[in-house]
Amino acid sequence: MHPEDRFNSLYSCSVYKNYPYANMSNPRDFFSPPAAGIPQKRPSNQHIVIPKAATNSTTSSVATNVAATPQIITSSSSISMTTCNTNDQRTSKDYYFDSYSHHGIHEEMLKDEVRTKTYQMAILKNRHLFNGKIVLDVGCGTGILSMFAAQAGARHVYGVDCSSVIEQARQIVAKNGFQDKITLIQGKMEEVDLPVPSVDIIISEWMGYFLLYESMLETVIYARDRWLNKNPYSPGLMFPDKAIMFLGAIENSSDRIKTDRIDYWENVYGFDMSPIKEIAIQEPIVDVIDSKAVISNCAPILTLDLLKCTKENLSFSTNFTLEANRNDYLGGFVTYFEVGFTQIHKPIGFSTAPFAKYTHWKQTLFFMEEEYCICKGENIYGEISCIPNSNNPRDLDISIKVEMNGKNSSLRSSMNYRLR
């Protein structure tokens, strides 16, 4: 199959049917070279297509008038806010924020060009949406998205982050001449009091491993409900506003990840450490797999509309059906997600799939204890459930139930995992 035909067949019914990839002049360049074994298409009963949002030529001028009443304050002004807890008051959220204080994690995210350039293009190619508007950046980190919004003509940008990296972010904002346009506030979004009654646009890079890990989306939902403009003639915008997570079957070898990370414990310098293997297999592995390791179609298991979803939607249970696209040995499952900016003039997005260009989110892998012979055309029926862990809501408890009745093997299994 010609590479371009493979691209068309694979994504003709995906989230990207209605818009191109953001960070490449040729959307086909977004993908790594295709390889044998990549699923050719998703079954028609499993398609999920994100429609292109309608745009209104009067939105910009109307929203500007609405936003003109709040008094804007600069970063040197006084803001009512809370600070993060001291050591004797620390919660799991505080340790989460601490992890974002180190520059290394921000370096990894900034160097992820798929991520950063998509946001950059979504914002700078839509200056008509940002011009004169009030913008809220949830989890602003180093301030990169806030500065994109200021470049696009935002009247004022408020960035909120609880980690201490915001101290460097304030210096970065000043060094780049945005100190009068961007106000950075250190505190938890749920406890911060902004000096404006509402904002016109919320931007945030909230996605985690398995899309939902670390639960930052709940904070974004709070910010949307509390601060986003609800004027019916000029409704507020979310950047991004759509997300879909997919699940597919993978072969047992999977680039030797299972051998190196799980089976390793069977013989460690001649010693049997298999009790640790029993723990290791219950934890999903975040890693990059070769596209050739995917042996089935990839089915959507979660669809989120950021303008409407609630925190209750972050706990989910979904049935799925996978069809093997070749004879192989089933060893587990892979999940990845796609994100879309569909409220803009020309919707764009990106994918974290194993057959797309690398992102720092990689893929999330769920291995089974045994391998199962599977033939081309045979179906795997399953259910995946996900809830926040009761002790630490930023961790996820995930269960996968699967059933298969094949020519050479049968499978009925229920597996429990914890992503932490």
Side-chain angles (χ1 to χ4, degrees), residues 6 24 51 78 88 129 163 192 273 315 318 349 351 393 417 419:
R6 185 180 297 275
M24 296 291 174
S78 174
D88 58 348
L129 298 178
S163 76
V192 164
M273 296 190 177
S315 298
T318 304
S351 174
Y417 304 89
L419 184 57

Side-chain angles (χ1 to χ4, degrees), residues 154-202:
R155 184 182 178 203
H156 204 84
V157 183
Y158 295 97
V160 179
D161 203 300
C162 200
S163 76
S164 61
V165 76
I166 202 165
E167 298 172 9
Q168 287 73 42
R170 289 186 179 123
Q171 298 175 43
I172 292 169
V173 165
K175 280 184 173 292
N176 288 276
F178 293 115
Q179 63 271 22
D180 295 330
K181 288 285 187 179
I182 299 175
T183 299
L184 299 183
I185 307 169
Q186 185 172 13
K188 296 177 182 177
M189 190 70 245
E190 295 84 352
E191 300 172 358
V192 164
D193 187 17
L194 298 180
V196 290
S198 65
V199 301
D200 300 299
I201 302 173
I202 292 178

Side-chain angles (χ1 to χ4, degrees), residues 38-304:
I38 299 178
Q40 300 303 302
K41 61 181 179 180
R42 301 187 179 107
S44 58
N45 64 345
Q46 294 175 345
H47 294 168
I48 286 189
V49 178
I50 294 176
K52 179 175 178 179
T55 56
N56 189 333
S57 59
T58 62
T59 298
S60 179
S61 59
V62 174
T64 302
N65 293 333
V66 171
T69 53
Q71 180 181 1
I72 305 304
I73 65 174
T74 66
S75 56
S76 61
S77 304
S78 174
I79 299 177
S80 173
M81 55 178 266
T82 59
T83 58
C84 298
N85 291 335
T86 56
N87 286 337
D88 58 348
Q89 302 170 313
R90 299 174 73 77
T91 66
S92 62
K93 283 188 176 183
D94 295 307
Y95 289 105
Y96 161 73
F97 292 126
D98 265 3
S99 69
Y100 282 85
S101 297
H102 193 274
H103 71 275
I105 193 168
H106 297 281
E107 178 183 358
E108 180 183 29
M109 292 187 291
L110 291 169
K111 287 181 176 178
D112 183 343
E113 293 189 354
V114 173
R115 163 199 180 268
T116 308
K117 286 187 176 181
T118 303
Y119 274 90
Q120 181 184 36
M121 182 172 287
I123 295 170
L124 296 184
K125 290 287 187 180
N126 292 278
R127 295 173 186 268
H128 61 289
L129 298 178
F130 283 82
N131 187 38
K133 302 304 193 308
I134 308 299
V135 178
L136 173 61
D137 182 357
V138 180
C140 61
T142 58
I144 185 70
L145 302 187
S146 294
M147 290 189 290
F148 286 157
Q151 275 187 325
R155 184 182 178 203
H156 204 84
V157 183
Y158 295 97
V160 179
D161 203 300
C162 200
S163 76
S164 61
V165 76
I166 202 165
E167 298 172 9
Q168 287 73 42
R170 289 186 179 123
Q171 298 175 43
I172 292 169
V173 165
K175 280 184 173 292
N176 288 276
F178 293 115
Q179 63 271 22
D180 295 330
K181 288 285 187 179
I182 299 175
T183 299
L184 299 183
I185 307 169
Q186 185 172 13
K188 296 177 182 177
M189 190 70 245
E190 295 84 352
E191 300 172 358
V192 164
D193 187 17
L194 298 180
V196 290
S198 65
V199 301
D200 300 299
I201 302 173
I202 292 178
I203 55 178
S204 181
E205 194 274 81
W206 53 267
M207 298 79 73
Y209 301 133
F210 191 70
L211 185 62
L212 300 179
Y213 179 59
E214 294 179 338
S215 301
M216 188 178 166
L217 180 54
E218 187 173 335
T219 297
V220 175
I221 291 172
Y222 171 86
R224 177 201 68 192
D225 293 343
R226 172 64 181 86
W227 296 107
L228 190 61
N229 172 23
K230 298 175 178 60
N231 186 326
Y233 300 103
S234 178
L237 306 178
M238 300 286 291
F239 278 61
D241 64 299
K242 298 291 192 299
I244 301 180
M245 183 157 51
F246 295 89
L247 178 144
I250 55 176
E251 64 183 8
N252 190 52
S253 59
S254 299
D255 299 333
R256 298 187 58 82
I257 294 174
K258 184 173 185 284
T259 301
D260 294 340
R261 302 283 292 276
I262 296 176
D263 297 338
Y264 164 80
W265 297 105
E266 295 177 354
N267 185 341
V268 182
Y269 297 99
F271 298 104
D272 184 348
M273 296 190 177
S274 55
I276 296 181
K277 177 182 177 181
E278 297 172 7
I279 300 173
I281 201 165
Q282 296 175 14
E283 291 194 13
I285 295 175
V286 177
D287 211 329
V288 176
I289 62 167
D290 193 292
S291 59
K292 293 181 290 186
V294 182
I295 62 171
S296 75
N297 64 298
C298 294
I301 57 172
L302 178 66
T303 303
L304 294 173

Side-chain angles (χ1 to χ4, degrees), residues 320 330 333 367-370 372 380-384 399-404 410-417:
F320 61 85
L330 171 67
F333 302 92
F367 286 104
M368 299 186 295
E369 293 185 6
E370 306 292 335
Y372 299 88
I380 304 167
Y381 303 98
E383 178 186 19
I384 181 169
S399 67
I400 301 178
K401 300 176 182 178
V402 291
E403 181 176 346
M404 179 186 72
S410 297
L411 164 66
R412 178 172 291 183
S413 176
S414 178
M415 300 154 288
N416 295 314
Y417 304 89

